[in-house]
Amino acid sequence: MSSPALARLPVAQAVAVEAGHLMRRRFLDRDRIAYEFKGPQDYLTAVDGEVERLVRGRLAEAFPEDGFIGEEDGGSAAAWTWVVDPIDGTANFARGIGHFCISIALLGPQGIEVGVICQPVAGELMYAGRGTGAFLNGEPMRVSQTSAMVRASVELGWSPRRPAAAYLDLVGRVMATGAAFRRAGSGALGIADVAAGRSDGYAELHINAWDCLAGILLVREAGGWTNDFLAGNGLAAGNPIIACAPGIQAAFLAAVGPGGLAQEGRLH
Ligand code: IPD
Ligand code: CA
């Protein structure tokens, strides 16, 4: 715990737990959750902003020189930059489904340094520092050993930021391999599930940095593979994401790539 990045990991964990408690309390107080839409299928509740302000404030107290980029209120980068989604899976949160989380990542000069995801309904805290391995409530996480698509179960994220036909093509190509697929509505948790070995892969044609940076580090530290999400303008504009267990990398990439990620030129 000597590097500046790893010194920030316990703070990020404590902030994620505190934020998790807040959003769980609000979630259980269901009658008070109202939602609106930022755009088509893009849910927003007052709790998204409330949680982001809490996290921004706590991290600024601890590390006033750090940058902060949040899904709701934006921000700017610095030498060390926190990239935060206060509630990932807002549609689930708003509609009473307990599959959502807070995602906190720290970016430094060498890429993603810290990733922390708290799923408060399940009581799960997942975290990693670069080079530390990945952990779920203190226990090491490892990606699955799955090596055949006919035994694989993957998640294919969706948002209206890409055409419906492109998503349906992606689903068709992945199903043609014999893999099972699902969409559960939280990109961060979908990627974290790969790290935990609960799922063998996650792909989405476009995702934002706050949804996926923490999960990417979890997957890499749990022995999995991801594309270079930050290539090009990934931090500001998002990119495709693909994360998977190494045993299905070639087959999953072949299925996802041709009409999806490869076309966008963001696979490395
Ligand atoms: C969305 C969710 C969804 C993913 C989208 C994200 P939000 O974030 O992670 O699963 O497919 O790309 O925008 O709106 O729940 O914060
Ligand atoms: Ca999100």
Side-chain angles (χ1 to χ4, degrees):
M1 287 287 161
S2 53
S3 79
L6 289 184
R8 284 161 163 82
L9 176 56
V11 177
Q13 289 173 257
V15 172
V17 168
E18 184 182 2
H21 282 138
L22 172 61
M23 70 176 84
R24 185 172 186 279
R25 277 203 312 278
R26 297 286 185 263
F27 179 72
L28 294 176
D29 197 5
R30 291 235 31 86
D31 292 345
R32 291 168 159 236
I33 296 184
Y35 58 84
E36 54 188 281
F37 290 90
K38 290 189 277 187
Q41 296 295 339
D42 196 0
Y43 285 73
L44 179 68
T45 73
V47 188
D48 294 78
E50 183 183 17
V51 173
E52 185 165 310
R53 285 190 294 278
L54 170 77
V55 173
R56 189 187 292 267
R58 289 282 186 268
L59 292 173
E61 271 164 36
F63 307 107
E65 69 282 14
D66 289 359
F68 186 99
I69 297 173
E71 171 166 14
E72 305 310 331
D73 296 323
S76 56
W80 301 97
T81 304
W82 298 98
V83 183
V84 172
D85 192 344
I87 303 181
D88 188 58
T90 299
N92 289 340
F93 179 86
R95 304 297 295 271
I97 297 168
H99 186 73
F100 56 83
C101 66
I102 174 164
S103 172
I104 300 179
L106 176 69
L107 271 180
Q110 297 186 66
I112 312 168
E113 295 283 354
V114 160
V116 180
I117 290 177
C118 178
Q119 206 296 30
V121 175
E124 292 187 338
L125 183 68
M126 295 174 265
Y127 51 91
R130 188 168 58 84
T132 69
F135 300 87
L136 193 172
N137 291 348
E139 297 297 321
M141 288 198 288
R142 293 300 295 171
V143 295
S144 77
Q145 299 292 308
T146 303
S147 59
M149 291 301 274
V150 289
R151 291 190 295 277
S153 184
V154 302
E155 182 163 352
L156 302 175
W158 171 85
S159 85
R161 294 185 300 270
R162 289 292 179 271
Y167 183 73
L168 294 174
D169 286 351
L170 172 67
V171 170
R173 289 193 306 275
V174 170
M175 289 191 79
T177 68
F181 92 98
R182 69 197 180 111
R183 173 189 179 259
S186 164
L189 289 177
I191 299 166
D193 278 344
V194 178
R198 296 163 171 167
S199 168
D200 304 304
Y202 185 94
E204 186 163 346
L205 298 173
H206 176 270
I207 197 163
N208 287 306
W210 45 77
D211 298 314
C212 68
L213 290 185
I216 286 172
L217 187 64
L218 294 179
V219 168
R220 290 179 183 163
E221 291 294 321
W225 178 84
T226 79
N227 65 313
D228 181 7
F229 172 82
L230 287 168
N233 198 22
L235 178 60
N239 257 335
I241 179 71
I242 178 166
C244 63
I248 65 160
Q249 181 188 335
F252 193 40
L253 201 50
V256 172
L261 306 189
Q263 246 180 28
E264 308 226 8
R266 295 280 187 265
L267 285 181
H268 301 268

